[in-house]
Amino acid sequence: MKKRIVTSLVLLSLAGVLGGCTTFGLSSQATAQRTQTSSSQTKRQKLISALPTGVKSTDADLIVVNKRHKHDELTFSKSTLDDQTIRTSALKPLTAFLNGAKAAGYPATFVSGYRSVAAQENVWNQSIETYENEGKSKQQALKLTKEFVAIPRASEHQTGLAADIMNTKWYNDNGNQLLSKSDQAAGQKWLIKHAPDYGFVLRFTKTGKSTTGIDYESWHFRYVGKQNAAFMTKHNLTLEQYVSLLKSREKAAK
């Protein structure tokens, strides 16, 4: 009887110890999560404090167009460059960007600029049709199209501030295709590295899909202005993240 009581007490003690370990583990996990959250909040606050002065989330160059922020046809002044259309405010920077690439020994091709909502609808429908002609089901064709083609009214090309730019040699050597692996070419690497010098950013980066909703595109550049481009590049921010920070600063200032 005495032996059974001692054994029971030992088991209860073990249960208490194990229970304490479990509680400690959960507590540690919760603490770690709180620390991580606090660290993220601190990082965000530091970024907000470091934001360029005089910049507003409503600035024309920072308009966000994506599947969560759809827009009808926008109105702005348009200009032509290399048979493509671009917003007039971005014409001079884009020309300088292309001239800079040529001077560096990497001539580039301005493949695509402004597209109207109607034109984007055509691109969308043609993509689906192409996949279906390749034997894909309608569902598969739609899924594949969504991966690389913006939904009509959700395409950044309708802002007139987006430009698909490819290193000319790579573009010509690869059947005039827009492929992410073009970033292996020295000329495309130059474009990506020096885009901020001219006020452009690579819009859809390798790490930005969670906020942009678009897979990596090594050819799609977006004009945001030199000051904004420098900050976004330094802190590896997508346009969505950058505008969110600006809105937080504006809200706090009210």
Side-chain angles (χ1 to χ4, degrees), residues 60-61 63 65 71-80 84-91 113-117 155-162 222:
D61 291 341
I63 183 172
V65 177
H71 288 265
D72 291 323
E73 198 65 57
L74 301 169
T75 302
F76 49 83
S77 176
K78 303 177 182 68
S79 296
T80 302
Q84 296 294 329
T85 302
I86 193 77
R87 187 184 288 229
T88 300
S89 61
L91 176 62
Y114 164 75
R115 285 200 298 268
S116 66
V117 174
S155 169
E156 190 172 64
H157 280 281
Q158 71 192 63
T159 68
L161 297 167
R222 162 66 189 263

Side-chain angles (χ1 to χ4, degrees), residues 18-34:
L18 291 174
C21 287
T22 303
T23 303
F24 177 76
L26 290 173
S27 179
S28 297
Q29 184 179 14
T31 300
Q33 290 175 342
R34 285 196 296 270

Side-chain angles (χ1 to χ4, degrees), residues 72-181:
D72 291 323
E73 198 65 57
L74 301 169
T75 302
F76 49 83
S77 176
K78 303 177 182 68
S79 296
T80 302
L81 177 64
D82 296 341
D83 296 325
Q84 296 294 329
T85 302
I86 193 77
R87 187 184 288 229
T88 300
S89 61
L91 176 62
K92 187 175 180 180
L94 178 57
T95 302
F97 189 16
L98 295 174
N99 288 341
K102 184 177 181 179
Y106 302 114
T109 299
F110 178 24
V111 179
S112 181
Y114 164 75
R115 285 200 298 268
S116 66
V117 174
Q120 187 63 30
E121 287 177 347
N122 288 333
V123 171
W124 176 269
N125 293 331
Q126 286 173 6
S127 175
I128 293 175
E129 183 179 348
T130 298
Y131 283 123
E132 289 180 340
N133 290 339
E134 292 175 355
K136 303 290 193 300
S137 67
K138 183 170 290 186
Q139 186 176 6
Q140 289 173 325
L142 180 60
K143 181 180 179 182
L144 288 168
T145 295
K146 284 182 176 179
E147 288 182 5
F148 291 103
V149 180
I151 299 170
R153 295 180 59 248
S155 169
E156 190 172 64
H157 280 281
Q158 71 192 63
T159 68
L161 297 167
D164 291 339
I165 307 174
M166 295 289 294
N167 170 251
T168 300
K169 184 179 185 308
W170 193 96
Y171 188 57
N172 292 340
D173 290 346
N174 289 271
N176 295 349
Q177 296 185 80
L178 297 176
L179 300 174
S180 295
K181 66 179 182 180

